[in-house]
Amino acid sequence: MEWTDICVNLTHDSFKRDLDAVVERAADAGVRWLLVTGSDEKESGRSIQLAESYPERMRATLGVHPHHASQWQDQTGYRFAEDASHPLVVAMGEMGLDYYRNHSTPAAQRHAFEAQLELAADLGKPVFLHEREASHDFGDILQRYRDRVPAAVVHCFTSDAHALDRYLEMDCHIGVTGWVCDERRGQELQALVPRIPEDRLMLETDAPYLLPRTLPKGLPHGRRNEPAFLPHIGEHVARLRDVSVDALARSTTANARAFYGLPE
Ligand SMILES: [Zn+2]
């Protein structure tokens, strides 16, 4: 079985000490590809370096997360435009809107989001998108650019049926994390997961965040999530969709291959 984790924040400090072991465990668990997420200018540069160290296993994205939107400058765009020509850079993002935390003001978030969509459109790159508690503004902005970017994935989908329908109408892919394993706040997502078309669904851990709550307590690395846990999320999603685990691994990896242009 081959899985693809479309969101791993491997440049996070918590992976500094045992990165090789984390990558090894992911491989042992059947996680074939890791998409290393860029979340600000510095981390995006490090994502490329990481992918260069593991070119058979990793690809990188370049983006400024809505939490860091206030850091966006024209200069960031110039730097990304240059770095995006690197052969291991497969998408722009993460980018988007997060009105749940508002670490940057909504206005700054909208500005950075639009600037990055504009850049992705110019570069002809797929976009990796983050939306939390902001589906209305997010949908309106994305609508204006959707025809100009080749593909778009709304990662860590946690919104409602209305937003899901709107994103699917815009021909977006949908990323599902271990949020779906949460017995309380994951309920709405559990109900929506069967409605995502097979050719639009991809899986992700969002490691080191969002450790699936259905994993046993007392893991050796505490609350840190890692890509080796992706099959656990996959098993949960397969049950909800009433398909075999094997079929889900195959379809979600095929979707990721096509979306990001990953080699066999
Ligand atoms: Zn995110």
Side-chain angles (χ1 to χ4, degrees):
M1 237 180 285
E2 273 191 4
W3 301 92
T4 299
D5 190 342
I6 66 158
C7 184
V8 203
N9 302 281
L10 281 182
T11 60
H12 191 273
D13 280 349
S14 65
F15 290 120
K16 254 189 192 133
R17 284 165 55 193
D18 63 342
L19 184 66
D20 283 330
V22 168
V23 175
E24 191 73 24
R25 277 196 292 276
D28 291 347
V31 185
R32 169 74 183 81
W33 287 103
L34 307 176
L35 277 295
V36 185
T37 306
S39 52
D40 65 18
E41 194 174 328
K42 199 170 124 234
E43 298 301 314
S44 295
R46 290 186 55 211
S47 300
I48 299 178
Q49 287 170 5
L50 254 186
E52 283 174 337
S53 322
Y54 301 90
E56 302 300 320
R57 313 289 320 285
M58 294 183 196
R59 292 294 182 268
T61 73
L62 307 179
V64 172
H65 189 284
H67 291 347
H68 310 302
S70 57
Q71 297 170 18
W72 178 268
Q73 294 174 323
D74 292 346
Q75 201 56 42
T76 318
Y78 303 141
R79 164 105 188 259
F80 282 177
E82 247 171 55
D83 287 353
S85 64
H86 191 290
L88 300 180
V89 172
V90 290
M92 306 308 283
E94 81 180 272
M95 62 174 87
L97 302 178
D98 191 317
Y99 293 174
Y100 178 69
R101 299 218 186 266
N102 276 328
H103 287 319
S104 293
T105 64
Q109 292 185 41
R110 289 190 292 268
H111 173 70
F113 185 25
E114 293 199 51
Q116 291 180 86
L117 283 167
E118 188 71 49
L119 181 61
D122 286 348
L123 297 166
K125 291 274 189 192
V127 288
F128 181 84
L129 306 169
H130 173 109
E131 181 267 303
R132 192 155 178 212
E133 310 260 322
S135 61
H136 187 80
D137 284 2
F138 176 91
D140 286 352
I141 292 173
L142 181 59
Q143 188 102 50
R144 298 209 303 274
Y145 292 89
R146 180 61 191 91
D147 289 346
R148 296 174 52 209
V149 291
V153 56
V154 182
H155 109 101
C156 192
F157 179 82
T158 56
S159 202
D160 57 15
H162 178 75
L164 179 63
D165 290 344
R166 190 167 184 204
Y167 302 156
L168 290 172
E169 265 166 40
M170 282 194 263
D171 196 26
C172 291
H173 285 66
I174 305 294
V176 171
T177 60
W179 186 283
V180 76
C181 301
D182 192 306
E183 73 283 6
R184 296 160 306 164
R185 64 178 187 174
Q187 281 179 9
E188 189 171 25
L189 180 60
Q190 288 160 14
L192 293 176
V193 152
R195 288 175 44 175
I196 303 169
E198 188 185 36
D199 64 354
R200 286 293 170 269
L201 174 65
M202 298 195 281
L203 298 176
E204 44 176 332
T205 57
D206 206 4
Y209 313 112
L210 297 179
L211 183 75
R213 286 175 54 89
T214 39
L215 283 170
K217 301 281 172 252
L219 292 165
H221 301 282
R223 302 298 303 158
R224 185 186 75 176
N225 196 6
E226 57 175 81
F229 301 144
L230 190 73
H232 177 84
I233 298 168
E235 282 163 23
H236 203 85
V237 169
R239 242 188 336 269
L240 291 168
R241 292 173 67 83
D242 198 21
V243 296
S244 71
V245 175
D246 188 54
L248 185 78
R250 230 178 304 123
S251 64
T252 52
T253 287
N255 293 340
R257 277 218 163 88
F259 187 96
Y260 293 108
L262 304 173
E264 283 298 311

